[in-house]
Amino acid sequence: MTRSPIITVSRGRFSSTATQVLEQVRAAGRASRDEIAAATGLSIATVGRTAAVLVERGLLRERPDLARPGATGRPGVPVEIDPDHYVTIGVHVGRRIATVALGDLTGRVLTSTTVRRPLGSEPDLEQLSREAATLLGSHPGRVPLAAGLVAPWREIGLLPTGREAELHELTGLPVRTGDHISAVAAAEFLHRRQGQQGRDNGGLTLYLYARDTFGWSVAVDRGVQTDVTRAASLTHFPTGADVPCACGRSGCLAAALDVLPDVGRARVLGAAAGSVRDMLSPDRVVLVGQAFTGDPGLLDVIVTAYEEHTGLDHRVPVSFTRFGSDIQAISACTVALGPVLDDPLACVELTGVEADGACRPGA
């Protein structure tokens, strides 16, 4: 139950066959057994056996109605993630609000609730576990497989140490923790990748996040595995603005954004993005969070400032991602998928429940 500073979002060919099949189906949205075999390098026989087990356990479902014309036998029958049996529990702890959510195995948030918490207080994981139980009660038949615990730990003055084990003790589920910005980056990667079968995902993607917190994280695609690194703060990134900051210096990013007018904020954000881009030289840049995306009329201002403050080739793609008000729930449920994708069959075994809701013998 130890915490890792890295969020693994794609495990590749060194993972178990069940994980490879599940990840390929999730990335493609829907795939036949022969397509999975071609993409993973596994044999048709291995894919067939593995897909059959995943269907039996309720992780995948067959779609014979969508079989290719002329396809014969099961190798040509598509399978997709079954969103109806299992859920993950996502818990996000913010400065004043905690969010508890249920997500299906595609990463879609099914329902969520928020709980106010005193500023600077310890997260009440027992209360949040009760909120999760209430949400599960409103979705009868759903079986939880894993939980994710996400927070901007540094910004709220807390450490994740020990809290992963505490939430595991309260829920009995495998638990994964993550930093908020890294979790948002992982969510963007997984949702962008779904239906694209891995296209436009190679290399290094830089994520810059700006909302209540400011920072960056990168997704590193090594071909056999993709990881999102621990987030780095941009709260005190120098902007050159003549604005005093509580840290005693002037021109820190967060302080400047507090007082500048809208266009000035957009230019400062774009300039910061361009400067960080030059330091890391990524293959693509993704800007996330309401400070970046809240005003569509200022997106061009951000991009112009970004291009003016980068000395590198401007052809590096830059894009904006909007998650809206569900960003806390989405990021926490994405992190909760980690244990499931690490070992999907082991997570199902821990539940002691068959896909039809019956208890397995001996469970």
Side-chain angles (χ1 to χ4, degrees), residues 56-59 85-86 141-145 345-363:
E56 177 188 358
R57 298 298 172 84
L59 293 160
H85 290 301
Y86 300 111
R142 296 278 189 164
V143 179
L145 287 183
L345 296 179
C347 283
V348 172
E349 289 291 335
L350 286 172
T351 68
V353 177
E354 297 285 7
D356 61 3
C359 288
R360 284 194 294 276

Side-chain angles (χ1 to χ4, degrees), residues 1-3 149 160 162-168 175-177:
M1 306 301 295
T2 57
R3 182 180 71 94
L149 177 59
R163 291 183 170 88
E164 187 171 310
E166 181 183 354
L167 189 58
H168 167 69
V175 178
R176 192 65 47 83
T177 59

Side-chain angles (χ1 to χ4, degrees), residues 276-297:
V276 176
R277 179 262 175 134
D278 278 9
M279 291 189 290
L280 299 176
S281 189
D283 297 287
R284 65 191 60 80
V285 176
V286 180
L287 307 180
V288 193
Q290 288 183 345
F292 280 120
T293 64
D295 187 342

Side-chain angles (χ1 to χ4, degrees), residues 117-181:
R117 55 183 301 271
L119 183 66
S121 66
E122 291 289 317
D124 187 343
L125 295 183
E126 186 171 349
Q127 178 193 14
L128 298 178
S129 297
R130 290 196 299 268
E131 295 290 341
T134 299
L135 292 180
L136 285 168
S138 67
H139 288 72
R142 296 278 189 164
V143 179
L145 287 183
L149 177 59
V150 170
W153 299 105
R154 181 185 306 158
E155 284 77 6
I156 64 176
L158 297 175
L159 293 173
T161 307
R163 291 183 170 88
E164 187 171 310
E166 181 183 354
L167 189 58
H168 167 69
E169 184 70 22
L170 288 165
T171 63
L173 299 173
V175 178
R176 192 65 47 83
T177 59
D179 177 86
H180 171 68
I181 295 174

Side-chain angles (χ1 to χ4, degrees), residues 230-250:
R230 182 186 294 176
S233 175
L234 287 174
T235 299
H236 299 289
F237 188 84
T239 66
D242 187 18
V243 177
C245 178
C247 72
R249 295 178 294 177
S250 294

